[in-house]
Amino acid sequence: MSEIRSFTVAPDDDGIRLDRWFKRHLPDTSFTTVAKWARTGQLRVDGARATPGDRIAAGQMLRLPPPEPVQVAGKPKRERPPLSEDEIAFAREMVIHQDAQAFVLNKPPGLATQGGTKTTQHVDGLLDALQYDNEGRPKLVHRLDKDTSGALLVARTARAAAFFAKTFSGRSAKKVYWALIVGVPSIEDGMIDLPLAKQPGTGGEKMHVDEAEGMPSRSRYRVIERAGNAAAWVELTPYTGRTHQLRVHMAAIGHPIVGDGKYGGPAAFLTGGISRKMHLHSRRIAVDHPDGGTIDVEAELPQHFAESLAQLGFDQMLGNMMPIDEPAPPTKAEQKVRAKQHAKSVRKERKGERRNRGSEPAPWRGKPARPGGKKPSPKKR
C-alpha cells in the first residue's frame, strides 16, 4: 500500500496558490481530487488543514495522501521524443544571454516559436536542450512569428516565468525591432494608433484594422535611413502586444515590411536581388530581472537581412546610434483614467483632513480652570 507523501515548498513556488502548485508538480492530479482531499482533511500544510486556494510559502511542508489509481481512457499521453545531438547543439547555439533565471535566444527566421498544425519543428520543442541541471523545463515568456527573427526571452524557473509574465502584461518590457519597408513614410517619426481584430474567414490566422470592434493597438516607427523613395530601414516599437501588430500597422499606412506577402501582397517585394524573406527582426529586448537589475540584450541580424542592408547601401552603425526611445505619450483613454484616479485620491485626502479636524478638541480661548473645576479667584490688590 502506498504511504503518505511529503513535499517541501521550493523557493520558486513561494507565494503561489496550492492548486497552482499541483498544476506545476502533479499535473495528473485533478482539481476534483485535490478538493476532495481538502474537504476530508487529508491535505495538510505544516500539519494544518489546507484548501486549494491557500497560498503557500517556501520551506513549508505539504502532506498528501497516496495517489489515487488513474483510469486510462482514450489515447495515452504523448511524450516528447528525445532530441538528437544536432538539435541540442542548434538550440544551444541560439543562446545569446544566460543567467540563473533566464535565457535570451536569437531565433532564426523560419523557425516557429510554438508547435501547431503541421508544425513539428519549433523553439518550444528544443527547450529540453537548455534544461541542464535545473529541475523544471525552461518556459516561453512571449513569442515571435515564424518568419520574424531575433531576441526571444525564455524563463529558466517557474518564479521567473511568473515575474516576466507580469512584466509583459504590464507593458514595462521594452522591445525594439528593425525592419526594411517598401517606400518611405512622409513623417520620419510617427505613431500608428489603429485598433486591430482577427479578420473574419481566416480562422484567426490573419489580423486587420477594425475601427469598430478592434482592440487598441499602438506602434511607433522611426526612419533610420532611406534608399531614395524605394525603401527605408526603420526602427519599430510596439506599445501593445497584438498578433502581427507591426506587420499590419506598416501595411495599413502603405509601407509593408519587405517580404511580408501576407499583409503587403505582391507590393511587399523589392526587385534588384533583394531577398524575398521577411525583413523583420527583434533587435533588442530590455526587461526587469527577477533578482534585480535588468536584462538588456541585442540580437545580431540574420544573413539575408544584413545582406539587404548592405545591398541598399545602409550602414548598420546608424541603427545602433539611434537615440533611446522615449515612453509613448498616454492615449486619451489613459489620460481620462489617470484624471479620475487623481480626483479620487484628492477627494480621499480632503475627506481625511475633515475627519481629523472633527476629532481634534476645540482650542480653549479662556484661562485654564483649577483642579476640581473651580474658577480661579481674583487677584488681591
Side-chain angles (χ1 to χ4, degrees):
M1 182 177 178
S2 301
E3 298 180 352
I4 298 296
R5 296 172 292 169
S6 297
F7 299 89
T8 302
V9 178
D12 282 348
D13 298 321
D14 185 56
I16 68 170
R17 287 166 49 112
L18 193 51
D19 53 359
R20 181 64 180 169
W21 183 91
F22 276 95
K23 288 183 179 180
R24 287 184 181 178
H25 302 286
L26 298 175
D28 293 333
T29 305
S30 68
F31 180 83
T32 303
T33 299
V34 176
K36 184 183 75 173
W37 288 346
R39 189 171 58 253
T40 56
Q42 299 180 80
L43 182 59
R44 302 269 175 165
V45 176
D46 283 348
R49 296 181 63 152
T51 66
D54 291 344
R55 294 196 177 274
I56 54 180
Q60 287 185 320
M61 183 66 69
L62 308 184
R63 195 191 75 179
L64 316 179
E68 296 188 346
V70 178
Q71 295 181 354
V72 179
K75 296 182 180 179
K77 185 178 179 180
R78 187 174 65 179
E79 296 184 358
R80 288 185 296 271
L83 299 176
S84 67
E85 292 185 2
D86 288 343
E87 288 174 322
I88 293 173
F90 174 66
R92 294 179 178 178
E93 286 173 0
M94 286 193 291
V95 176
I96 55 176
H97 169 84
Q98 176 179 346
D99 61 47
Q101 300 294 339
F103 292 107
V104 177
L105 313 180
N106 188 357
K107 187 188 84 65
L111 177 66
T113 304
Q114 291 177 294
T117 306
K118 298 181 181 180
T119 302
T120 57
Q121 296 295 322
H122 45 83
V123 174
D124 190 42
L126 298 172
L127 293 183
D128 285 334
L130 305 179
Q131 184 168 342
Y132 297 104
D133 296 330
N134 281 18
E135 291 184 4
R137 188 173 185 268
K139 299 173 179 60
L140 293 170
V141 177
H142 63 121
R143 62 186 296 273
L144 296 175
D145 295 340
K146 180 179 179 179
D147 294 321
T148 301
S149 57
L152 181 70
L153 182 67
V154 178
R156 298 192 68 180
T157 66
R159 179 173 71 89
F163 178 88
F164 290 136
K166 289 182 180 179
T167 302
F168 276 87
S169 63
R171 307 300 176 200
S172 60
K174 180 180 177 63
K175 292 180 286 184
V176 175
Y177 291 77
W178 281 356
L180 192 62
I181 61 173
V182 176
V184 181
S186 57
I187 301 174
E188 291 194 350
D189 185 343
M191 184 72 72
I192 305 171
D193 193 344
L194 295 172
L196 302 180
K198 293 181 179 180
Q199 183 169 317
T202 64
E205 291 295 322
K206 195 172 182 181
M207 305 290 287
H208 73 138
V209 174
D210 188 337
E211 297 282 0
E213 300 181 3
M215 296 292 289
S217 307
R218 305 176 76 204
S219 306
R220 182 182 182 180
Y221 70 85
R222 297 195 292 179
V223 176
I224 302 173
E225 201 170 3
R226 56 187 292 171
N229 293 320
W233 172 24
V234 296
E235 177 190 271
L236 303 175
T237 303
Y239 292 115
T240 50
R242 312 300 173 207
T243 301
H244 301 169
Q245 176 176 313
L246 298 177
R247 298 166 60 184
V248 181
H249 273 174
M250 295 312 297
I253 65 170
H255 300 286
I257 295 171
V258 173
D260 187 11
K262 185 169 190 173
Y263 290 103
F269 300 95
L270 297 177
T271 58
I274 297 296
S275 172
R276 294 179 64 84
K277 292 183 179 180
M278 177 92 78
H279 287 70
L280 179 61
H281 178 73
S282 175
R283 170 61 175 174
R284 177 186 175 192
I285 186 166
V287 61
D288 291 338
H289 195 282
D291 296 334
T294 59
I295 297 172
D296 193 341
V297 181
E298 293 181 346
E300 294 298 320
L301 287 171
Q303 183 177 352
H304 78 277
F305 200 143
E307 290 177 350
S308 294
L309 291 185
Q311 189 169 342
L312 292 169
F314 295 151
D315 183 358
Q316 282 197 42
M317 288 300 296
L318 294 178
N320 297 327
M321 294 170 63
M322 290 290 287
I324 297 177
D325 186 21
E326 297 296 330
T331 62
K332 291 183 179 179
E334 291 171 338
Q335 289 175 347
K336 289 182 179 179
V337 171
R338 293 179 185 179
K340 288 181 180 179
Q341 291 174 340
H342 176 69
K344 184 178 180 180
S345 64
V346 170
R347 289 195 300 270
K348 188 175 181 180
E349 289 177 3
R350 290 177 178 173
K351 186 177 180 181
E353 290 174 359
R354 290 195 297 270
R355 186 183 297 113
N356 291 336
R357 286 198 298 268
S359 62
E360 293 175 355
W364 177 260
R365 299 185 182 279
K367 295 182 179 180
R370 286 186 175 182
K374 295 181 179 180
K375 295 182 179 181
S377 57
K379 292 182 180 180
K380 294 182 179 180
R381 295 180 180 270

